[in-house]
Amino acid sequence: MRHALTYDDVALVPQFNNIPSRTEPSLESWLTKKLKVGIPIIAANMDTVISQELAEILIAQGSIPIFHRFTPFQEQKKWVKKFKDKTFISCGIHKLEETRELLDLGAIGVCIDVAHGHSDRMFSHIEELKKSHPGKEVIAGNVCTPMAYHDLVNAGADAVKVGVGPGAACTTRMVTGFGVPQFTAVQDCARIADKLRVPLIADGGIRTSRDVVLALAAGASTVMVGKLFGQTLESAAPKRKSKKYPSGYEAKFRGQASADFQNEFYGGLKAKTVAEGIDFWGPVSGSAEELLTLLLGGVRSGMTYGGARNLKELQRKAEFVQVTATYIQESKPRPD
């Protein structure tokens, strides 16, 4: 039986540093084989996350928004017409012609989202899109094994999303028993990604900049963040006043496999299926710009501890140690 680890189970060992300032490291990375981003953070393409306001902030910061697919087709067309070659769209493994029409309107690429992306139907969908739109970028996922990553790349994917079950609103592991701890999933897939030169997107399990640094050091080219963006002022999440939190507001975050979402979007759960996600209300944390400042500041600081001027150097020099649960306790402030 193999041993597998979460982000809480590991730490990075500091390396010799000759970087005079935390502002010096470059955060540029690759989202796909042909597409560079100025920062290695992507907002999750979820209905309670991505909004027009958030998309504009992401673009200004050097990221690329990926619009979700759970709106009427006419709304998706309006989105693409507004952002043109600054946005990705999303699709499942149905409605191929609608996806092609959105690509024709100017979207730079598509993210194909399937809960278990290692499937023959996914391969066929990638191949069909690449056949009709060879110049468009295709992100495919989600998977959590090197073989699955390899197979999606062979099918034509220009980037692969890695993560099955680590999301804040996901219950797949609890319902099915399947899923690889996220640090190990990223690190294992990254070994293949390094050889195939196709970027890996670490999707899920991000709570602080610490997790972002660990994911990048483990080999991810970018990190997809859901709940943290969902709780910003500019997110698409429904919001209401609340005296429980300093901001005075709370936001609703949900997984796309939650009963709440499926009841609203599909009119109920499909026969012989159960929900694999939840919905919940949490504090509005502040603006998306403030969140990005915190996350990117942590990454820059982490890179100096890793003696790295860029993300490739961070990955090359990364030295991990396995830690116990008490490491997290020792690492937190203890004013009492």
Side-chain angles (χ1 to χ4, degrees), residues 171-198:
T171 59
T172 292
R173 295 177 183 174
M174 302 306 296
V175 171
T176 70
F178 282 84
V180 176
Q182 185 67 348
F183 175 79
T184 292
V186 170
Q187 190 177 52
D188 284 354
C189 291
R191 292 191 181 103
I192 306 298
D194 190 51
K195 296 175 182 176
L196 298 182
R197 305 285 183 179
V198 174

Side-chain angles (χ1 to χ4, degrees), residues 7 23 37 46 85 111 130 144 157 211 294 329:
Y7 292 136
T23 63
V37 282
M46 300 171 70
D85 59 355
C111 179
K130 276 297 184 180
C144 62
D211 299 325
L294 286 173
Q329 296 307 312

Side-chain angles (χ1 to χ4, degrees), residues 27-99:
L27 299 185
E28 279 193 349
S29 192
W30 293 93
L31 177 60
T32 66
K33 285 195 295 186
K34 297 178 183 176
L35 196 58
K36 253 189 176 181
V37 282
I39 60 173
I41 294 176
I42 306 295
N45 50 328
M46 300 171 70
D47 78 314
T48 53
V49 175
I50 195 66
S51 69
Q52 180 176 313
E53 197 173 359
L54 178 55
E56 290 169 347
I57 291 171
L58 292 168
I59 291 169
Q61 293 276 349
S63 184
I64 295 176
I66 306 175
F67 193 46
H68 70 87
R69 59 189 169 97
F70 302 106
T71 60
F73 184 56
Q74 292 303 319
E75 289 298 313
Q76 295 183 55
K77 288 172 70 173
K78 287 179 183 178
W79 177 280
V80 174
K81 287 176 181 177
K82 177 176 178 57
F83 290 106
K84 291 286 186 183
D85 59 355
K86 295 179 180 177
T87 190
F88 270 71
I89 55 167
S90 299
C91 71
I93 49 176
H94 306 289
K95 300 182 179 179
L96 183 60
E97 291 310 314
E98 287 189 0
T99 301

Side-chain angles (χ1 to χ4, degrees), residues 83-296:
F83 290 106
K84 291 286 186 183
D85 59 355
K86 295 179 180 177
T87 190
F88 270 71
I89 55 167
S90 299
C91 71
I93 49 176
H94 306 289
K95 300 182 179 179
L96 183 60
E97 291 310 314
E98 287 189 0
T99 301
R100 285 173 167 157
E101 186 173 342
L102 293 172
L103 290 173
D104 287 339
L105 284 173
I108 49 176
V110 58
C111 179
I112 310 173
D113 269 323
V114 179
H116 181 26
H118 193 200
S119 70
D120 54 356
R121 296 180 72 190
M122 171 65 91
F123 302 157
S124 298
H125 206 70
I126 296 171
E127 289 162 3
E128 286 296 317
L129 284 171
K130 276 297 184 180
K131 191 183 301 178
S132 62
H133 291 79
K136 300 292 185 177
E137 299 293 279
V138 172
I139 298 170
N142 279 31
V143 298
C144 62
T145 66
M147 180 180 290
Y149 169 91
H150 185 276
D151 288 348
L152 290 185
V153 171
N154 277 354
D158 301 295
V160 176
K161 279 208 297 169
V162 172
V164 173
C170 184
T171 59
T172 292
R173 295 177 183 174
M174 302 306 296
V175 171
T176 70
F178 282 84
V180 176
Q182 185 67 348
F183 175 79
T184 292
V186 170
Q187 190 177 52
D188 284 354
C189 291
R191 292 191 181 103
I192 306 298
D194 190 51
K195 296 175 182 176
L196 298 182
R197 305 285 183 179
V198 174
L200 180 161
I201 302 169
D203 180 15
I206 301 299
R207 299 153 301 177
T208 66
S209 59
R210 174 185 185 271
D211 299 325
V212 177
V213 174
L214 290 170
L216 294 170
S221 293
T222 57
V223 176
M224 182 169 270
V225 178
K227 187 187 83 167
L228 295 181
F229 276 118
Q231 291 181 326
T232 62
L233 289 165
E234 299 85 359
S235 78
K239 298 176 180 71
R240 66 189 183 192
K241 290 183 178 180
S242 172
K243 295 181 179 179
K244 293 190 293 184
Y245 304 114
S247 66
Y249 290 90
E250 58 185 353
K252 182 181 182 180
F253 183 71
R254 65 184 181 185
Q256 314 294 203
S258 65
D260 182 79
F261 173 81
Q262 293 192 56
N263 286 334
E264 181 181 323
F265 191 74
Y266 296 111
L269 295 174
K270 295 176 183 177
K272 300 182 180 180
T273 68
V274 296
E276 292 184 28
I278 61 169
D279 66 279
F280 56 85
W281 291 85
V284 170
S285 59
S287 72
E289 287 184 349
E290 290 170 336
L291 173 63
L292 283 167
T293 296
L294 286 173
L295 294 180
L296 297 175

